[in-house]
Amino acid sequence: MKKILVIGSLNADMVVRVPHIPVAGETILAETVDMIPGGKGANQAYAAGSLGAQTVMFGAVGVDRYAEIEKKSLQSVGVDVSRLLVRTDCATGLAWITVNDAGDNSIVVVPGANKTLSEKDIADNDDLLHSCDIILCQLEIPIQTVLYAARRAKELGKTFILDPAPAPKLFHSELYAYIDIIKPNETELSLLTGKDVSDYESASDMLRTKGVKNVIVTLGEKGAFVNSESEGKHLVPARSVPVVDTTAAGDSFTAALAVRLASGSSLLQAVRYATEVAAIVVTRKGAQTSIPSAAEVPFDDK
């Protein structure tokens, strides 16, 4: 199996269970609160490791208990955390996540050390990009750092996958040309293209014209839409499941996609597998705590 490098964020997630997401000015009583290892980058690395891929996590943390919790969680599924950068002048990232009775969530992130990850950090660790085959990025680290990593991945002939979350107000158009696979959800795709959330087919066409080889749009309970340079357009349905918590579903989808591609599956096979993994994640509480092992995922490549 090919090796996966995840470049991105690590956050300690404070997950608050509420009957409904509060509106502006509203005070409500929470049911429970849990501290769970998270961050979009760490979630992807954890999922890739849990699903059996050789995985390296590269990012920045502070000198605090949250950093140790993050590292131990990733190490528990075999992720290499030896190259994480430790900042002495800022804390590990934190996220406050409210989850309602329907399983929907609202998230506020304090980036902390994540916002310090720089182009120079990537350049100083160029050997990591050389040694890995598939590189995953998200947007909880500076966009300039992501752009540099994508450009370098292109130069080295690596497969670069971007999960454009959280969708930025300003997106460097140059970045599109370096992306092999982009995986937005409907809302993120709308923010990137200016098109209505229901118009995901033409919106994905727009990203293809900007240079992206493959666009995969996650559609929640409807599954995923694939617009591929090599495999055309397909709607991959999702299995109907009871939704408990959607946290980390998108991260797990992206990681599962990379894992199957690393093992030699076609893009469509990988999307089908990723859809199944995400369906399991939403039936469980938390971020990394909701991610299944490879043995838990019923899947047939046929």
Side-chain angles (χ1 to χ4, degrees), residues 4 21 52 186 208 220 247 271-272 282 293:
I4 296 172
I21 305 297
E186 294 164 286
R208 288 286 314 283
T247 307
V271 171
R272 293 188 186 104
V282 300
S293 66

Side-chain angles (χ1 to χ4, degrees), residues 18 31 89 93 104-105 107 118 149 164-165 188 297:
V18 293
E31 298 167 5
D89 57 348
D104 298 319
N105 62 45
I107 305 174
S118 68
E188 291 153 0
V297 186

Side-chain angles (χ1 to χ4, degrees), residues 176 182 184-186 188-210 212 215 217 225 227 233:
Y176 287 117
I182 192 169
N185 61 26
E186 294 164 286
E188 291 153 0
L189 182 65
S190 177
L191 290 170
L192 290 173
T193 63
K195 290 186 174 290
D196 187 85
V197 291
S198 63
D199 197 11
Y200 52 81
E201 182 170 351
S202 65
S204 64
D205 284 338
M206 182 181 292
L207 295 189
R208 288 286 314 283
T209 63
K210 292 177 182 291
V212 180
V215 181
V217 188
F225 177 73
N227 188 339
K233 296 179 180 180

Side-chain angles (χ1 to χ4, degrees), residues 64-80:
D64 49 44
R65 68 187 184 96
Y66 301 127
E68 295 308 310
I69 291 169
E70 286 283 342
K71 284 190 257 186
K72 286 180 181 178
S73 180
L74 291 170
Q75 288 172 323
S76 73
V77 290
V79 175
D80 182 352

Side-chain angles (χ1 to χ4, degrees), residues 34 39 44 49 59 85 90 97 105 126 128 142 151 156 167 171 186 196 221 231 261 267 274 284:
D34 297 291
Q44 290 180 3
L85 304 177
C90 57
I97 305 172
N105 62 45
D126 194 62
L128 283 178
R151 186 187 300 121
L156 295 173
F171 192 94
E186 294 164 286
D196 187 85
E221 62 184 13
E231 300 194 37
L261 292 174
L267 182 64
R284 302 172 177 179

